[in-house]
Amino acid sequence: MKGCILYFSATGNTEYVARAIKDEFANNNIPCDMYEVSKNSGFEDKYDFYVFGAPIYAEMFPPFYTEWVKKHITKGNGRKCIVFSTQANTIACGPSTFAKELNKIGFEVVIEDNVLMPNNYYLVMFRKFTEQQVNDTLKKSKDLARTLVDRFIKHENQLINAKAREIWAKPVFKLFLLWSRKWAKKSLVADMGKCTRCGLCQKQCPVNNIKVNKDSITFFENCVSCQRCVHKCPANAFLYKDKVIDQYKLPKEVF
Ligand SMILES: Cc1cc2nc3c(=O)[nH]c(=O)nc-3n(C[C@H](O)[C@H](O)[C@H](O)COP(=O)(O)O)c2cc1C
């Protein structure tokens, strides 16, 4: 039996949890590959089970993630899976909403869960976690990853009932998607004195929303607000509302 963790992670949180899940499967002698969907190359649907994971944006998974999954895996064929989100609050609809779609194409979703992780969205919303909060959260998320894998192996179902939450979350998410398309274009500029033209932002943008030119950086209107460009820039060259950005980074020792 071999599994695959199919995930998206803009700033490292979901990747951290994905690794913890992979390690826990390995501790149980179950091999599990990891595949980050924005790399978008060479994926083959050849696995016996899947773990789906993504960050929450306004309660839901980013559509480019869910669409990528549905494009590359068209039939569940009764295969079991785990669906998890990472987010800064304790609860969100994303996993249960996506689980319904997975069940429709023939997957058997055994586990759905929300894994609390530090907030990477403090430029716009919610507060930045303190160092102590980050450390406590990382420890708890690792423990939770262990529990999820144990339950999955023992075939113990764990599903979230988010029906009531979805009633307001779905329209909020639609508005968020409309607003976010222009987020980078409206809020960010690059300090071209700092920018080294390394092209990382352009290369790593999951929705091809960035073009690095000789004298400027252009943002198109397809942004998902994922924050990867601003927090991963090696020169911290982006300005948010004309201010230098306090970049989000997980502590070095966790990777
Ligand atoms: C555009 C955007 C919207 C977000 N919306 C929510 C939200 O509705 N609820 C929440 O708890 N966290 C929210 N967050 C926080 C992230 O979900 C959280 O920090 C996540 O773990 C980041 O994962 P990553 O590092 O793998 O990209 C949001 C973050 C971004 C960038």
Side-chain angles (χ1 to χ4, degrees), residues 8-15 54-60 86-92 115 117-121 125-126 176 224-227 248:
F8 169 69
S9 183
T11 62
N13 287 352
T14 313
E15 183 175 355
I56 289 295
Y57 298 159
E59 285 289 320
M60 299 290 176
T86 67
Q87 71 293 312
N89 296 323
T90 45
I91 184 163
V115 184
M117 283 295 278
N119 180 31
N120 72 346
Y121 201 36
M125 207 179 259
F126 316 128
F176 163 77
V224 287
S225 295
C226 77
Q227 314 285 299
Y248 177 74

PDB file of all heavy atoms in Angstrom, residues 8-15 54-60 86-92 115 117-121 125-126 176 224-227 248, ligand 1:
ATOM      1  N   PHE A   8      -1.098  21.986  -1.321  1.00  0.00           N
ATOM      2  CA  PHE A   8      -0.565  23.287  -1.722  1.00  0.00           C
ATOM      3  C   PHE A   8      -0.144  23.989  -0.444  1.00  0.00           C
ATOM      4  O   PHE A   8      -0.818  23.890   0.581  1.00  0.00           O
ATOM      5  CB  PHE A   8      -1.617  24.146  -2.455  1.00  0.00           C
ATOM      6  CG  PHE A   8      -1.151  25.568  -2.626  1.00  0.00           C
ATOM      7  CD1 PHE A   8      -0.105  25.859  -3.489  1.00  0.00           C
ATOM      8  CD2 PHE A   8      -1.711  26.604  -1.889  1.00  0.00           C
ATOM      9  CE1 PHE A   8       0.376  27.158  -3.618  1.00  0.00           C
ATOM     10  CE2 PHE A   8      -1.253  27.910  -2.024  1.00  0.00           C
ATOM     11  CZ  PHE A   8      -0.206  28.185  -2.888  1.00  0.00           C
ATOM     12  N   SER A   9       0.996  24.673  -0.506  1.00  0.00           N
ATOM     13  CA  SER A   9       1.434  25.464   0.644  1.00  0.00           C
ATOM     14  C   SER A   9       2.144  26.701   0.134  1.00  0.00           C
ATOM     15  O   SER A   9       3.187  26.601  -0.504  1.00  0.00           O
ATOM     16  CB  SER A   9       2.376  24.626   1.525  1.00  0.00           C
ATOM     17  OG  SER A   9       2.746  25.377   2.665  1.00  0.00           O
ATOM     18  N   ALA A  10       1.580  27.875   0.422  1.00  0.00           N
ATOM     19  CA  ALA A  10       2.201  29.114  -0.054  1.00  0.00           C
ATOM     20  C   ALA A  10       3.374  29.505   0.821  1.00  0.00           C
ATOM     21  O   ALA A  10       4.419  29.931   0.325  1.00  0.00           O
ATOM     22  CB  ALA A  10       1.170  30.240  -0.091  1.00  0.00           C
ATOM     23  N   THR A  11       3.217  29.354   2.143  1.00  0.00           N
ATOM     24  CA  THR A  11       4.253  29.882   3.052  1.00  0.00           C
ATOM     25  C   THR A  11       4.809  28.835   4.024  1.00  0.00           C
ATOM     26  O   THR A  11       5.516  29.196   4.968  1.00  0.00           O
ATOM     27  CB  THR A  11       3.714  31.096   3.845  1.00  0.00           C
ATOM     28  OG1 THR A  11       2.614  30.676   4.660  1.00  0.00           O
ATOM     29  CG2 THR A  11       3.257  32.219   2.928  1.00  0.00           C
ATOM     30  N   GLY A  12       4.489  27.571   3.827  1.00  0.00           N
ATOM     31  CA  GLY A  12       5.162  26.515   4.586  1.00  0.00           C
ATOM     32  C   GLY A  12       4.326  25.782   5.620  1.00  0.00           C
ATOM     33  O   GLY A  12       4.685  24.691   6.043  1.00  0.00           O
ATOM     34  N   ASN A  13       3.191  26.357   6.046  1.00  0.00           N
ATOM     35  CA  ASN A  13       2.410  25.701   7.108  1.00  0.00           C
ATOM     36  C   ASN A  13       1.858  24.344   6.675  1.00  0.00           C
ATOM     37  O   ASN A  13       1.989  23.339   7.379  1.00  0.00           O
ATOM     38  CB  ASN A  13       1.215  26.575   7.508  1.00  0.00           C
ATOM     39  CG  ASN A  13       1.615  27.790   8.310  1.00  0.00           C
ATOM     40  OD1 ASN A  13       2.758  27.924   8.711  1.00  0.00           O
ATOM     41  ND2 ASN A  13       0.673  28.683   8.550  1.00  0.00           N
ATOM     42  N   THR A  14       1.237  24.338   5.511  1.00  0.00           N
ATOM     43  CA  THR A  14       0.611  23.087   5.060  1.00  0.00           C
ATOM     44  C   THR A  14       1.692  22.055   4.747  1.00  0.00           C
ATOM     45  O   THR A  14       1.512  20.860   4.992  1.00  0.00           O
ATOM     46  CB  THR A  14      -0.297  23.359   3.833  1.00  0.00           C
ATOM     47  OG1 THR A  14      -1.104  24.510   4.123  1.00  0.00           O
ATOM     48  CG2 THR A  14      -1.186  22.179   3.524  1.00  0.00           C
ATOM     49  N   GLU A  15       2.821  22.535   4.253  1.00  0.00           N
ATOM     50  CA  GLU A  15       3.935  21.621   3.988  1.00  0.00           C
ATOM     51  C   GLU A  15       4.430  20.994   5.302  1.00  0.00           C
ATOM     52  O   GLU A  15       4.746  19.802   5.361  1.00  0.00           O
ATOM     53  CB  GLU A  15       5.079  22.369   3.305  1.00  0.00           C
ATOM     54  CG  GLU A  15       6.209  21.435   2.948  1.00  0.00           C
ATOM     55  CD  GLU A  15       7.316  22.104   2.148  1.00  0.00           C
ATOM     56  OE1 GLU A  15       7.173  23.284   1.781  1.00  0.00           O
ATOM     57  OE2 GLU A  15       8.318  21.421   1.908  1.00  0.00           O
ATOM     58  N   ALA A  54      -4.589  21.730   2.140  1.00  0.00           N
ATOM     59  CA  ALA A  54      -4.396  23.088   1.600  1.00  0.00           C
ATOM     60  C   ALA A  54      -4.706  24.114   2.685  1.00  0.00           C
ATOM     61  O   ALA A  54      -5.412  23.805   3.651  1.00  0.00           O
ATOM     62  CB  ALA A  54      -5.304  23.313   0.392  1.00  0.00           C
ATOM     63  N   PRO A  55      -4.205  25.341   2.513  1.00  0.00           N
ATOM     64  CA  PRO A  55      -4.557  26.392   3.470  1.00  0.00           C
ATOM     65  C   PRO A  55      -5.982  26.890   3.238  1.00  0.00           C
ATOM     66  O   PRO A  55      -6.511  26.763   2.126  1.00  0.00           O
ATOM     67  CB  PRO A  55      -3.555  27.511   3.147  1.00  0.00           C
ATOM     68  CG  PRO A  55      -3.060  27.243   1.782  1.00  0.00           C
ATOM     69  CD  PRO A  55      -3.257  25.790   1.484  1.00  0.00           C
ATOM     70  N   ILE A  56      -6.543  27.460   4.269  1.00  0.00           N
ATOM     71  CA  ILE A  56      -7.874  28.070   4.166  1.00  0.00           C
ATOM     72  C   ILE A  56      -7.746  29.530   3.757  1.00  0.00           C
ATOM     73  O   ILE A  56      -6.969  30.280   4.344  1.00  0.00           O
ATOM     74  CB  ILE A  56      -8.584  27.978   5.546  1.00  0.00           C
ATOM     75  CG1 ILE A  56      -8.987  26.540   5.847  1.00  0.00           C
ATOM     76  CG2 ILE A  56      -9.784  28.917   5.634  1.00  0.00           C
ATOM     77  CD1 ILE A  56     -10.017  25.947   4.920  1.00  0.00           C
ATOM     78  N   TYR A  57      -8.485  29.900   2.728  1.00  0.00           N
ATOM     79  CA  TYR A  57      -8.620  31.310   2.343  1.00  0.00           C
ATOM     80  C   TYR A  57     -10.097  31.662   2.453  1.00  0.00           C
ATOM     81  O   TYR A  57     -10.905  31.144   1.676  1.00  0.00           O
ATOM     82  CB  TYR A  57      -8.136  31.544   0.913  1.00  0.00           C
ATOM     83  CG  TYR A  57      -6.669  31.237   0.677  1.00  0.00           C
ATOM     84  CD1 TYR A  57      -6.189  30.990  -0.591  1.00  0.00           C
ATOM     85  CD2 TYR A  57      -5.758  31.207   1.739  1.00  0.00           C
ATOM     86  CE1 TYR A  57      -4.838  30.710  -0.809  1.00  0.00           C
ATOM     87  CE2 TYR A  57      -4.416  30.921   1.528  1.00  0.00           C
ATOM     88  CZ  TYR A  57      -3.966  30.669   0.260  1.00  0.00           C
ATOM     89  OH  TYR A  57      -2.640  30.385   0.049  1.00  0.00           O
ATOM     90  N   ALA A  58     -10.444  32.521   3.409  1.00  0.00           N
ATOM     91  CA  ALA A  58     -11.849  32.886   3.635  1.00  0.00           C
ATOM     92  C   ALA A  58     -12.719  31.627   3.729  1.00  0.00           C
ATOM     93  O   ALA A  58     -13.656  31.447   2.958  1.00  0.00           O
ATOM     94  CB  ALA A  58     -12.353  33.821   2.547  1.00  0.00           C
ATOM     95  N   GLU A  59     -12.352  30.751   4.649  1.00  0.00           N
ATOM     96  CA  GLU A  59     -13.128  29.539   4.987  1.00  0.00           C
ATOM     97  C   GLU A  59     -12.957  28.345   4.061  1.00  0.00           C
ATOM     98  O   GLU A  59     -13.307  27.227   4.402  1.00  0.00           O
ATOM     99  CB  GLU A  59     -14.642  29.853   5.057  1.00  0.00           C
ATOM    100  CG  GLU A  59     -15.059  30.613   6.292  1.00  0.00           C
ATOM    101  CD  GLU A  59     -14.985  29.770   7.558  1.00  0.00           C
ATOM    102  OE1 GLU A  59     -15.348  28.591   7.512  1.00  0.00           O
ATOM    103  OE2 GLU A  59     -14.537  30.299   8.588  1.00  0.00           O
ATOM    104  N   MET A  60     -12.450  28.559   2.833  1.00  0.00           N
ATOM    105  CA  MET A  60     -12.439  27.459   1.853  1.00  0.00           C
ATOM    106  C   MET A  60     -11.024  27.187   1.341  1.00  0.00           C
ATOM    107  O   MET A  60     -10.109  27.972   1.557  1.00  0.00           O
ATOM    108  CB  MET A  60     -13.317  27.821   0.657  1.00  0.00           C
ATOM    109  CG  MET A  60     -14.765  28.063   0.997  1.00  0.00           C
ATOM    110  SD  MET A  60     -15.593  26.541   1.454  1.00  0.00           S
ATOM    111  CE  MET A  60     -17.206  27.170   1.898  1.00  0.00           C
ATOM    112  N   THR A  86      -5.074  23.772   6.784  1.00  0.00           N
ATOM    113  CA  THR A  86      -4.388  24.511   7.843  1.00  0.00           C
ATOM    114  C   THR A  86      -4.972  25.913   7.824  1.00  0.00           C
ATOM    115  O   THR A  86      -5.279  26.446   6.757  1.00  0.00           O
ATOM    116  CB  THR A  86      -2.857  24.576   7.650  1.00  0.00           C
ATOM    117  OG1 THR A  86      -2.553  25.365   6.496  1.00  0.00           O
ATOM    118  CG2 THR A  86      -2.249  23.195   7.513  1.00  0.00           C
ATOM    119  N   GLN A  87      -5.153  26.489   9.004  1.00  0.00           N
ATOM    120  CA  GLN A  87      -5.735  27.820   9.104  1.00  0.00           C
ATOM    121  C   GLN A  87      -5.400  28.413  10.473  1.00  0.00           C
ATOM    122  O   GLN A  87      -4.953  27.700  11.366  1.00  0.00           O
ATOM    123  CB  GLN A  87      -7.256  27.778   8.860  1.00  0.00           C
ATOM    124  CG  GLN A  87      -8.077  27.138   9.963  1.00  0.00           C
ATOM    125  CD  GLN A  87      -7.826  25.679  10.111  1.00  0.00           C
ATOM    126  OE1 GLN A  87      -7.833  24.948   9.127  1.00  0.00           O
ATOM    127  NE2 GLN A  87      -7.571  25.204  11.330  1.00  0.00           N
ATOM    128  N   ALA A  88      -5.659  29.727  10.586  1.00  0.00           N
ATOM    129  CA  ALA A  88      -5.264  30.441  11.801  1.00  0.00           C
ATOM    130  C   ALA A  88      -6.330  30.404  12.891  1.00  0.00           C
ATOM    131  O   ALA A  88      -6.042  30.682  14.053  1.00  0.00           O
ATOM    132  CB  ALA A  88      -4.935  31.891  11.457  1.00  0.00           C
ATOM    133  N   ASN A  89      -7.571  30.082  12.511  1.00  0.00           N
ATOM    134  CA  ASN A  89      -8.635  29.880  13.511  1.00  0.00           C
ATOM    135  C   ASN A  89      -8.815  28.380  13.690  1.00  0.00           C
ATOM    136  O   ASN A  89      -8.277  27.593  12.912  1.00  0.00           O
ATOM    137  CB  ASN A  89      -9.951  30.509  13.034  1.00  0.00           C
ATOM    138  CG  ASN A  89      -9.821  32.017  12.898  1.00  0.00           C
ATOM    139  OD1 ASN A  89      -9.147  32.665  13.696  1.00  0.00           O
ATOM    140  ND2 ASN A  89     -10.448  32.565  11.873  1.00  0.00           N
ATOM    141  N   THR A  90      -9.641  27.996  14.678  1.00  0.00           N
ATOM    142  CA  THR A  90      -9.725  26.558  14.950  1.00  0.00           C
ATOM    143  C   THR A  90     -10.592  25.808  13.944  1.00  0.00           C
ATOM    144  O   THR A  90     -10.464  24.597  13.800  1.00  0.00           O
ATOM    145  CB  THR A  90     -10.283  26.320  16.377  1.00  0.00           C
ATOM    146  OG1 THR A  90     -11.396  27.184  16.545  1.00  0.00           O
ATOM    147  CG2 THR A  90      -9.235  26.584  17.427  1.00  0.00           C
ATOM    148  N   ILE A  91     -11.466  26.511  13.233  1.00  0.00           N
ATOM    149  CA  ILE A  91     -12.426  25.795  12.386  1.00  0.00           C
ATOM    150  C   ILE A  91     -12.630  26.521  11.047  1.00  0.00           C
ATOM    151  O   ILE A  91     -12.499  27.743  10.978  1.00  0.00           O
ATOM    152  CB  ILE A  91     -13.769  25.607  13.158  1.00  0.00           C
ATOM    153  CG1 ILE A  91     -14.762  24.786  12.359  1.00  0.00           C
ATOM    154  CG2 ILE A  91     -14.368  26.918  13.579  1.00  0.00           C
ATOM    155  CD1 ILE A  91     -15.891  24.255  13.219  1.00  0.00           C
ATOM    156  N   ALA A  92     -12.914  25.753  10.013  1.00  0.00           N
ATOM    157  CA  ALA A  92     -13.224  26.324   8.694  1.00  0.00           C
ATOM    158  C   ALA A  92     -13.926  25.246   7.867  1.00  0.00           C
ATOM    159  O   ALA A  92     -13.791  24.051   8.138  1.00  0.00           O
ATOM    160  CB  ALA A  92     -11.945  26.777   7.986  1.00  0.00           C
ATOM    161  N   VAL A 115      -6.450  21.810  10.865  1.00  0.00           N
ATOM    162  CA  VAL A 115      -5.238  21.835  11.703  1.00  0.00           C
ATOM    163  C   VAL A 115      -4.856  23.303  11.942  1.00  0.00           C
ATOM    164  O   VAL A 115      -4.524  24.019  10.991  1.00  0.00           O
ATOM    165  CB  VAL A 115      -4.074  21.082  11.021  1.00  0.00           C
ATOM    166  CG1 VAL A 115      -2.860  21.042  11.938  1.00  0.00           C
ATOM    167  CG2 VAL A 115      -4.496  19.676  10.605  1.00  0.00           C
ATOM    168  N   MET A 117      -2.768  26.380  12.528  1.00  0.00           N
ATOM    169  CA  MET A 117      -1.362  26.748  12.265  1.00  0.00           C
ATOM    170  C   MET A 117      -1.227  28.260  12.388  1.00  0.00           C
ATOM    171  O   MET A 117      -2.225  28.975  12.361  1.00  0.00           O
ATOM    172  CB  MET A 117      -0.941  26.277  10.866  1.00  0.00           C
ATOM    173  CG  MET A 117      -0.649  24.785  10.760  1.00  0.00           C
ATOM    174  SD  MET A 117       0.766  24.249  11.727  1.00  0.00           S
ATOM    175  CE  MET A 117       2.139  24.671  10.657  1.00  0.00           C
ATOM    176  N   PRO A 118       0.009  28.788  12.495  1.00  0.00           N
ATOM    177  CA  PRO A 118       0.156  30.233  12.664  1.00  0.00           C
ATOM    178  C   PRO A 118      -0.428  31.014  11.487  1.00  0.00           C
ATOM    179  O   PRO A 118      -0.426  30.548  10.354  1.00  0.00           O
ATOM    180  CB  PRO A 118       1.673  30.422  12.737  1.00  0.00           C
ATOM    181  CG  PRO A 118       2.205  29.101  13.160  1.00  0.00           C
ATOM    182  CD  PRO A 118       1.293  28.074  12.571  1.00  0.00           C
ATOM    183  N   ASN A 119      -0.900  32.221  11.804  1.00  0.00           N
ATOM    184  CA  ASN A 119      -1.510  33.067  10.778  1.00  0.00           C
ATOM    185  C   ASN A 119      -0.451  33.668   9.848  1.00  0.00           C
ATOM    186  O   ASN A 119       0.489  34.300  10.298  1.00  0.00           O
ATOM    187  CB  ASN A 119      -2.287  34.199  11.475  1.00  0.00           C
ATOM    188  CG  ASN A 119      -2.942  35.127  10.489  1.00  0.00           C
ATOM    189  OD1 ASN A 119      -3.332  34.714   9.395  1.00  0.00           O
ATOM    190  ND2 ASN A 119      -3.080  36.385  10.873  1.00  0.00           N
ATOM    191  N   ASN A 120      -0.612  33.459   8.557  1.00  0.00           N
ATOM    192  CA  ASN A 120       0.319  34.069   7.581  1.00  0.00           C
ATOM    193  C   ASN A 120      -0.323  35.277   6.888  1.00  0.00           C
ATOM    194  O   ASN A 120       0.180  35.759   5.881  1.00  0.00           O
ATOM    195  CB  ASN A 120       0.753  33.044   6.523  1.00  0.00           C
ATOM    196  CG  ASN A 120      -0.386  32.716   5.560  1.00  0.00           C
ATOM    197  OD1 ASN A 120      -1.546  33.028   5.817  1.00  0.00           O
ATOM    198  ND2 ASN A 120      -0.054  32.079   4.451  1.00  0.00           N
ATOM    199  N   TYR A 121      -1.470  35.731   7.423  1.00  0.00           N
ATOM    200  CA  TYR A 121      -2.256  36.743   6.712  1.00  0.00           C
ATOM    201  C   TYR A 121      -2.338  38.050   7.498  1.00  0.00           C
ATOM    202  O   TYR A 121      -3.250  38.838   7.304  1.00  0.00           O
ATOM    203  CB  TYR A 121      -3.665  36.160   6.493  1.00  0.00           C
ATOM    204  CG  TYR A 121      -4.460  36.803   5.383  1.00  0.00           C
ATOM    205  CD1 TYR A 121      -3.861  37.253   4.213  1.00  0.00           C
ATOM    206  CD2 TYR A 121      -5.843  36.938   5.490  1.00  0.00           C
ATOM    207  CE1 TYR A 121      -4.608  37.823   3.194  1.00  0.00           C
ATOM    208  CE2 TYR A 121      -6.594  37.503   4.469  1.00  0.00           C
ATOM    209  CZ  TYR A 121      -5.969  37.944   3.329  1.00  0.00           C
ATOM    210  OH  TYR A 121      -6.714  38.503   2.315  1.00  0.00           O
ATOM    211  N   MET A 125      -5.251  40.595   7.681  1.00  0.00           N
ATOM    212  CA  MET A 125      -6.281  40.200   8.637  1.00  0.00           C
ATOM    213  C   MET A 125      -5.745  39.291   9.760  1.00  0.00           C
ATOM    214  O   MET A 125      -4.829  38.521   9.520  1.00  0.00           O
ATOM    215  CB  MET A 125      -7.360  39.426   7.881  1.00  0.00           C
ATOM    216  CG  MET A 125      -8.718  39.517   8.517  1.00  0.00           C
ATOM    217  SD  MET A 125      -9.874  38.610   7.535  1.00  0.00           S
ATOM    218  CE  MET A 125     -10.669  39.916   6.666  1.00  0.00           C
ATOM    219  N   PHE A 126      -6.324  39.366  10.881  1.00  0.00           N
ATOM    220  CA  PHE A 126      -5.958  38.611  12.096  1.00  0.00           C
ATOM    221  C   PHE A 126      -4.537  39.006  12.536  1.00  0.00           C
ATOM    222  O   PHE A 126      -3.763  39.545  11.755  1.00  0.00           O
ATOM    223  CB  PHE A 126      -6.009  37.084  11.921  1.00  0.00           C
ATOM    224  CG  PHE A 126      -7.211  36.532  11.201  1.00  0.00           C
ATOM    225  CD1 PHE A 126      -7.056  35.678  10.120  1.00  0.00           C
ATOM    226  CD2 PHE A 126      -8.494  36.859  11.598  1.00  0.00           C
ATOM    227  CE1 PHE A 126      -8.149  35.164   9.439  1.00  0.00           C
ATOM    228  CE2 PHE A 126      -9.591  36.349  10.927  1.00  0.00           C
ATOM    229  CZ  PHE A 126      -9.425  35.495   9.848  1.00  0.00           C
ATOM    230  N   PHE A 176     -14.800  37.153  -1.540  1.00  0.00           N
ATOM    231  CA  PHE A 176     -13.344  37.156  -1.339  1.00  0.00           C
ATOM    232  C   PHE A 176     -12.615  36.909  -2.670  1.00  0.00           C
ATOM    233  O   PHE A 176     -11.640  37.592  -2.997  1.00  0.00           O
ATOM    234  CB  PHE A 176     -12.942  36.091  -0.304  1.00  0.00           C
ATOM    235  CG  PHE A 176     -11.479  35.765  -0.336  1.00  0.00           C
ATOM    236  CD1 PHE A 176     -10.549  36.624   0.239  1.00  0.00           C
ATOM    237  CD2 PHE A 176     -11.007  34.617  -0.983  1.00  0.00           C
ATOM    238  CE1 PHE A 176      -9.187  36.343   0.168  1.00  0.00           C
ATOM    239  CE2 PHE A 176      -9.655  34.338  -1.057  1.00  0.00           C
ATOM    240  CZ  PHE A 176      -8.742  35.210  -0.473  1.00  0.00           C
ATOM    241  N   VAL A 224      -4.605  35.196  -5.982  1.00  0.00           N
ATOM    242  CA  VAL A 224      -5.420  34.484  -4.992  1.00  0.00           C
ATOM    243  C   VAL A 224      -5.044  34.908  -3.580  1.00  0.00           C
ATOM    244  O   VAL A 224      -5.486  34.309  -2.606  1.00  0.00           O
ATOM    245  CB  VAL A 224      -5.297  32.952  -5.146  1.00  0.00           C
ATOM    246  CG1 VAL A 224      -6.036  32.473  -6.378  1.00  0.00           C
ATOM    247  CG2 VAL A 224      -3.839  32.505  -5.170  1.00  0.00           C
ATOM    248  N   SER A 225      -4.200  35.908  -3.454  1.00  0.00           N
ATOM    249  CA  SER A 225      -3.777  36.447  -2.146  1.00  0.00           C
ATOM    250  C   SER A 225      -2.978  35.444  -1.312  1.00  0.00           C
ATOM    251  O   SER A 225      -2.961  35.562  -0.089  1.00  0.00           O
ATOM    252  CB  SER A 225      -4.976  36.871  -1.299  1.00  0.00           C
ATOM    253  OG  SER A 225      -5.670  37.914  -1.858  1.00  0.00           O
ATOM    254  N   CYS A 226      -2.344  34.479  -1.927  1.00  0.00           N
ATOM    255  CA  CYS A 226      -1.748  33.390  -1.136  1.00  0.00           C
ATOM    256  C   CYS A 226      -0.568  33.846  -0.287  1.00  0.00           C
ATOM    257  O   CYS A 226      -0.175  33.179   0.643  1.00  0.00           O
ATOM    258  CB  CYS A 226      -1.346  32.238  -2.041  1.00  0.00           C
ATOM    259  SG  CYS A 226       0.183  32.497  -2.973  1.00  0.00           S
ATOM    260  N   GLN A 227       0.055  34.971  -0.651  1.00  0.00           N
ATOM    261  CA  GLN A 227       1.151  35.595   0.097  1.00  0.00           C
ATOM    262  C   GLN A 227       2.525  34.990  -0.175  1.00  0.00           C
ATOM    263  O   GLN A 227       3.507  35.350   0.461  1.00  0.00           O
ATOM    264  CB  GLN A 227       0.911  35.556   1.626  1.00  0.00           C
ATOM    265  CG  GLN A 227      -0.472  35.958   2.067  1.00  0.00           C
ATOM    266  CD  GLN A 227      -0.717  37.441   1.999  1.00  0.00           C
ATOM    267  OE1 GLN A 227      -0.048  38.218   2.649  1.00  0.00           O
ATOM    268  NE2 GLN A 227      -1.665  37.831   1.176  1.00  0.00           N
ATOM    269  N   TYR A 248       6.678  36.388   6.818  1.00  0.00           N
ATOM    270  CA  TYR A 248       6.281  35.209   7.596  1.00  0.00           C
ATOM    271  C   TYR A 248       7.258  34.063   7.338  1.00  0.00           C
ATOM    272  O   TYR A 248       7.477  33.689   6.188  1.00  0.00           O
ATOM    273  CB  TYR A 248       4.875  34.738   7.193  1.00  0.00           C
ATOM    274  CG  TYR A 248       4.472  33.479   7.913  1.00  0.00           C
ATOM    275  CD1 TYR A 248       4.119  33.529   9.251  1.00  0.00           C
ATOM    276  CD2 TYR A 248       4.512  32.245   7.288  1.00  0.00           C
ATOM    277  CE1 TYR A 248       3.795  32.376   9.948  1.00  0.00           C
ATOM    278  CE2 TYR A 248       4.183  31.077   7.976  1.00  0.00           C
ATOM    279  CZ  TYR A 248       3.821  31.163   9.306  1.00  0.00           C
ATOM    280  OH  TYR A 248       3.517  30.023   9.997  1.00  0.00           O
TER     281      TYR A 248
HETATM  282  C1  LIG B   1      -5.819  35.003   1.585  1.00  0.00           C
HETATM  283  C2  LIG B   1      -5.834  34.337   2.927  1.00  0.00           C
HETATM  284  C3  LIG B   1      -7.032  34.132   3.591  1.00  0.00           C
HETATM  285  C4  LIG B   1      -7.043  33.497   4.831  1.00  0.00           C
HETATM  286  N1  LIG B   1      -8.252  33.250   5.420  1.00  0.00           N
HETATM  287  C5  LIG B   1      -8.298  32.568   6.577  1.00  0.00           C
HETATM  288  C6  LIG B   1      -9.562  32.249   7.167  1.00  0.00           C
HETATM  289  O1  LIG B   1     -10.637  32.534   6.645  1.00  0.00           O
HETATM  290  N2  LIG B   1      -9.551  31.579   8.339  1.00  0.00           N
HETATM  291  C7  LIG B   1      -8.394  31.227   8.958  1.00  0.00           C
HETATM  292  O2  LIG B   1      -8.457  30.635  10.027  1.00  0.00           O
HETATM  293  N3  LIG B   1      -7.164  31.487   8.404  1.00  0.00           N
HETATM  294  C8  LIG B   1      -7.093  32.149   7.230  1.00  0.00           C
HETATM  295  N4  LIG B   1      -5.872  32.413   6.654  1.00  0.00           N
HETATM  296  C9  LIG B   1      -4.631  31.930   7.296  1.00  0.00           C
HETATM  297  C10 LIG B   1      -4.038  30.714   6.582  1.00  0.00           C
HETATM  298  O3  LIG B   1      -5.043  29.802   6.231  1.00  0.00           O
HETATM  299  C11 LIG B   1      -2.985  29.950   7.423  1.00  0.00           C
HETATM  300  O4  LIG B   1      -2.012  30.781   7.942  1.00  0.00           O
HETATM  301  C12 LIG B   1      -2.398  28.790   6.601  1.00  0.00           C
HETATM  302  O5  LIG B   1      -1.873  27.836   7.507  1.00  0.00           O
HETATM  303  C13 LIG B   1      -1.313  29.171   5.605  1.00  0.00           C
HETATM  304  O6  LIG B   1      -0.817  28.000   4.980  1.00  0.00           O
HETATM  305  P1  LIG B   1       0.484  27.896   4.062  1.00  0.00           P
HETATM  306  O7  LIG B   1       1.641  28.431   4.885  1.00  0.00           O
HETATM  307  O8  LIG B   1       0.619  26.448   3.805  1.00  0.00           O
HETATM  308  O9  LIG B   1       0.236  28.703   2.846  1.00  0.00           O
HETATM  309  C14 LIG B   1      -5.836  33.069   5.437  1.00  0.00           C
HETATM  310  C15 LIG B   1      -4.617  33.299   4.762  1.00  0.00           C
HETATM  311  C16 LIG B   1      -4.618  33.914   3.524  1.00  0.00           C
HETATM  312  C17 LIG B   1      -3.308  34.107   2.826  1.00  0.00           C
END
